[in-house]
């Protein structure tokens, strides 16, 4: 394929001068617009203004410059169609063989916290997507380039005459993905402007994700998998920086999300969470990350083996030294000190991840056959003021602290969830059983003697009094649960029988996936 004329109009000017120079040296005539024209001309590279091609000046603050038959005819013409060739000659249209375009920085604009709607609208590109789509549609005759990273490859293929139709089809695919992502970002932003922050669900859910990497496999070796990132997000697991270790697996990433979310329930004290199969097996607060880790590990050292560990503070050398003898799959923190990296970096199979904080929670998605479930995140954070004491005995200060801690943990445990804690450490966790008393039996057996004086949290109400009875027999002294069962009084009476203080939060925290 011979490239005689190229149109270059880019917002991201990375490498554009070198690309234009390379095209010029290959004898390609260059047409350009606005700031791109100035950048290329300033480098001493011959370039034709688009206004010279169209016979019209760029107008309306640059809104109208390439929307013209002499541009789009040059891009869309089928070169071996006699009628198209005839029309080009009759109307003085010169073919455009290569289009290098990327779009106005809409995502970057709306990422600014104080951006106005008017500013966002002004950064919606019109001419750019039109040229990209036209060139991509006509890939048999036109080369479309939207990614500056491909400039060098394009130049090399022109030199070696290897701009094959197969390669141009792949460029077309990338171009439509480029405009598709762009349109999704606009639609998502405008939807949020209309619905506001009131939790309204859009009538059409429009979101696009870009692939970060292929994974070796999914939950099981026979399943294919890949990891994608939301281009509009700014933090979270998809933006984690791996400092050491082999590639993450699908299950690692799922567990990392669970551990990270729970670890960041607290900001006032260092926390440590150890997760296995998306459920916390140990969670604790401490005065230091070391203390939080030691207490979380001791909560269930057997289950912690091979777990995922998350901190809400920097991982320091002292904590890393305490972790070194133990096998963990992944260790995450907002920052990992060089000393900690030096210590844990000697372990071949551990993955060390720095994870940037998430500024805002996005909608949560779950695929079902033939559709998609979308919900807002479970970010409800009940306090003492939201709770109602329903038993004869009111909680002590220490019991309040234990229940507050337990309530934050239980919403991160698979339902049916029953957990036992002290005021800042877990003792026993019963997750995902088909009946609530079954989860309680597991948590009580795991906690053992620590049950005496412990707090019990349930993610949903008790349908019968049996769970409270099991708690009373084990020596548990305080219970926090949503309430709302038609048999609440049965549970209240059972709590009074054993001298347990019980509070209702009025909020349920089911976690099914």
């Amino acid at each position: 394929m011979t490239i005689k004329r190229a149109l270059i109009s880019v917002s991201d000017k990375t490498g554009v001068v070198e690309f234009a120079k390379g095209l010029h040296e290959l004898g390609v005539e260059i047409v350009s617009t606005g700031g791109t024209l100035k950048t290329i001309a300033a480098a001493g590279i011959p370039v034709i203004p688009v206004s010279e091609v169209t016979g019209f000046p760029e107008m309306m603050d640059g809104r109208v410059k390439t929307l013209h038959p002499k541009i789009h005819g040059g891009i869309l013409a089928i070169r071996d169609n006699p009628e198209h060739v005839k029309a080009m000659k009759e109307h003085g249209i010169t073919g455009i063989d290569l289009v290098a375009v990327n779009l106005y920085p809409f995502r970057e604009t709306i990422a600014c916290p104080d951006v106005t709607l008017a500013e966002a609208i002004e950064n919606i590109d019109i001419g750019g997507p039109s040229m990209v789509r036209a060139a991509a549609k006509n890939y048999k005759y036109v080369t479309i380039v939207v990614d500056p990273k491909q400039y060098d490859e394009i130049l090399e293929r022109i030199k070696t005459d290897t701009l094959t139709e197969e390669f141009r089809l792949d460029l077309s695919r990338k171009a439509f993905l480029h405009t598709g992502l762009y349109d999704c970002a606009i639609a998502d932003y405008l939807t949020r402007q209309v619905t506001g922050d009131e939790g309204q669900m859009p009538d059409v859910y429009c979101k696009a994700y870009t692939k970060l990497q292929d994974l070796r496999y999914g939950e099981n070796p026979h399943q294919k998998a890949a990891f994608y990132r939301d281009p509009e997000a700014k933090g979270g697991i998809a933006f984690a920086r791996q400092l050491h270790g082999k590639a993450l697996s699908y299950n690692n990433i799922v567990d990392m999300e669970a551990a990270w979310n729970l670890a960041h329930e607290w900001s006032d004290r260092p926390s440590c969470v150890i997760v296995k199969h998306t459920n916390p097996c140990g969670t604790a607060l401490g005065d230091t990350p070391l203390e939080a880790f030691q207490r979380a590990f001791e909560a269930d050292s057997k289950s912690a083996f091979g777990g995922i560990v998350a901190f809400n503070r920097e991982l320091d050398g002292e904590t890393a030294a305490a972790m070194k003898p133990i096998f963990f799959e992944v260790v995450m923190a907002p920052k990992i000190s060089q000393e900690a990296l030096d210590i844990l970096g000697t372990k071949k199979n551990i993955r060390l991840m720095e994870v940037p904080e998430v500024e805002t929670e996005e909608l949560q998605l779950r695929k079902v056959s033939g559709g998609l479930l979308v919900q807002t995140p479970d970010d409800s954070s009940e306090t003492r003021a939201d709770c109602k004491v329903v038993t004869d005995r009111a909680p002590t200060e220490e019991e309040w602290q234990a229940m507050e801690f337990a309530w934050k943990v239980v919403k991160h445990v698979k339902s049916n969830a029953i957990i036992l804690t002290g005021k800042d450490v877990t003792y026993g966790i019963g997750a995902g059983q088909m009946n609530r008393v079954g989860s309680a039996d597991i948590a009580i057996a795991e906690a053992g003697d620590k049950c005496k004086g412990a707090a019990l949290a349930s993610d949903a109400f008790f349908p019968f009094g049996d769970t409270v009875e099991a708690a009373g027999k084990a020596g548990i002294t305080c219970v926090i649960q949503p309430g709302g069962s038609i048999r609440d009084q049965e549970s209240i009476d059972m709590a009074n029988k054993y001298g347990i203080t019980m509070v209702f939060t009025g909020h349920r925290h089911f976690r099914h996936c």
Side-chain angles (χ1 to χ4, degrees):
M1 180 180 179
T2 302
I3 304 293
K4 296 180 179 179
R5 177 179 260 197
L7 190 154
I8 306 177
S9 181
V10 292
S11 173
D12 178 0
K13 295 180 175 54
T14 303
V16 71
V17 169
E18 293 78 8
F19 185 52
K21 182 180 178 183
L23 289 173
H24 173 64
E25 290 173 351
L26 289 168
V28 178
E29 185 178 65
I30 299 171
V31 177
S32 191
T33 65
T36 307
L37 173 76
K38 293 177 182 176
T39 299
I40 294 172
I45 302 165
V47 56
I48 300 169
V50 74
S51 57
E52 189 175 310
V53 175
T54 64
F56 279 85
E58 295 184 18
M59 61 181 69
M60 300 177 185
D61 299 318
R63 284 189 171 202
V64 178
K65 48 194 173 188
T66 59
L67 298 170
H68 193 281
K70 287 196 173 182
I71 298 299
H72 285 272
I75 296 171
L76 283 166
I78 297 174
R79 309 305 164 83
D80 52 8
N81 182 315
E83 291 300 317
H84 287 207
V85 172
K86 179 182 176 183
M88 291 176 73
K89 287 181 179 178
E90 287 180 355
H91 299 286
I93 297 173
T94 302
I96 296 172
D97 309 304
L98 184 147
V99 174
V101 170
N102 51 61
L103 311 177
Y104 290 175
F106 182 80
R107 287 193 195 89
E108 293 81 358
T109 299
I110 63 173
C112 299
D114 56 350
V115 66
T116 64
L117 177 60
E119 289 169 335
I121 294 296
E122 201 56 38
N123 276 277
I124 296 176
D125 204 332
I126 300 300
S130 299
M131 289 188 291
V132 169
R133 289 173 62 84
K137 175 177 179 175
N138 208 27
Y139 72 89
K140 285 189 175 183
Y141 310 95
V142 179
T143 299
I144 174 64
V145 191
V146 295
D147 185 355
K149 296 186 186 70
Q150 291 198 283
Y151 288 164
D152 289 343
E153 182 181 10
I154 297 297
L155 291 173
E156 184 60 29
R157 283 181 176 269
I158 294 173
K159 288 178 188 177
T160 58
D161 194 25
T162 54
L163 276 175
T164 64
E165 185 173 320
E166 180 183 28
F167 178 70
R168 296 197 304 277
L169 176 60
D170 188 51
L171 291 177
S172 172
R173 175 187 68 85
K174 292 179 180 178
F176 280 116
L177 283 172
H178 186 64
T179 57
L181 282 168
Y182 195 76
D183 286 340
C184 273
I186 295 168
D188 183 58
Y189 172 79
L190 293 178
T191 297
R192 284 186 275 116
Q193 299 308 302
V194 172
T195 61
D197 296 322
E198 300 175 5
Q200 296 181 47
M201 294 292 119
D203 51 358
V204 175
Y205 187 80
C206 178
K207 197 75 174 178
Y209 294 81
T210 56
K211 187 161 73 173
L212 278 178
Q213 64 189 93
D214 287 309
L215 302 173
R216 284 187 300 155
Y217 53 81
E219 285 183 286
N220 300 290
H222 62 276
Q223 295 174 267
K224 293 182 179 179
F227 189 20
Y228 292 79
R229 174 188 285 171
D230 179 352
E232 295 172 46
K234 296 181 181 178
I237 299 301
F239 289 81
R241 186 166 73 101
Q242 185 162 357
L243 305 184
H244 174 75
K246 59 187 180 182
L248 293 168
S249 72
Y250 181 99
N251 291 334
N252 288 155
I253 295 166
V254 172
D255 285 340
M256 285 168 61
E257 176 74 1
W260 192 250
N261 288 340
L262 177 50
H264 285 77
E265 284 284 348
W266 299 275
S267 58
D268 56 334
R269 292 182 68 191
S271 70
C272 177
V273 174
I274 306 174
V275 158
K276 286 289 285 292
H277 305 291
T278 72
N279 282 307
C281 54
T283 301
L285 307 180
D287 292 331
T288 64
L290 174 61
E291 183 184 14
F293 164 71
Q294 289 172 329
R295 301 182 77 212
F297 178 70
E298 290 164 4
D300 187 356
S301 57
K302 182 185 293 186
S303 298
F305 180 83
I308 309 293
V309 187
F311 294 90
N312 69 347
R313 296 287 194 277
E314 178 178 352
L315 177 62
D316 54 47
E318 186 179 23
T319 308
M323 301 179 76
K324 186 175 181 181
I326 310 158
F327 170 58
F328 294 114
E329 288 273 2
V330 180
V331 176
M332 298 181 290
K335 184 171 178 56
I336 296 175
S337 72
Q338 186 60 50
E339 185 181 3
L341 180 59
D342 292 342
I343 292 168
L344 293 178
T346 61
K347 295 169 67 73
K348 180 180 178 182
N349 291 323
I350 196 171
R351 301 160 175 90
L352 302 177
M353 311 294 299
E354 284 187 344
V355 184
E357 305 286 349
V358 179
E359 292 185 3
T360 56
E361 285 287 345
E362 57 188 17
L363 293 175
Q364 296 176 335
L365 316 179
R366 181 170 176 79
K367 183 73 177 69
V368 297
S369 54
L372 186 72
L373 288 170
V374 181
Q375 68 173 356
T376 57
D378 182 6
D379 55 5
S380 175
S381 299
E382 293 74 51
T383 66
R384 294 186 198 186
D386 301 307
C387 296
K388 178 183 179 182
V389 179
V390 295
T391 48
D392 295 340
R393 186 173 73 81
T396 65
E397 175 59 30
E398 189 165 338
E399 286 173 331
W400 269 121
Q401 291 177 23
M403 288 190 292
E404 288 170 330
F405 176 80
W407 192 242
K408 287 187 176 182
V409 177
V410 78
K411 77 176 186 178
H412 295 268
V413 179
K414 291 291 186 294
S415 186
N416 288 318
I418 297 288
I419 71 163
L420 305 180
T421 77
K423 65 179 183 179
D424 52 12
V425 64
T426 54
Y427 294 151
I429 295 175
Q433 298 306 297
M434 285 64 72
N435 64 79
R436 198 156 292 279
V437 74
S439 292
D441 288 342
I442 292 171
I444 289 168
E446 184 182 314
D449 291 341
K450 294 178 182 176
C451 285
K452 303 221 179 323
L456 181 152
S458 173
D459 66 333
F461 63 63
F462 301 127
F464 306 101
D466 50 5
T467 301
V468 180
E469 183 174 24
K473 289 179 178 178
I476 293 160
T477 64
C478 55
V479 172
I480 184 168
Q481 58 130 322
S485 169
I486 60 173
R487 289 188 174 91
D488 273 345
Q489 193 58 48
E490 185 178 327
S491 295
I492 294 169
D493 292 342
M494 194 63 71
N496 285 329
K497 175 181 176 181
Y498 285 95
I500 293 173
T501 180
M502 184 161 65
V503 303
F504 288 176
T505 66
H507 286 80
R508 187 183 74 187
H509 287 299
F510 270 165
R511 179 171 291 265
H512 281 80
C513 57

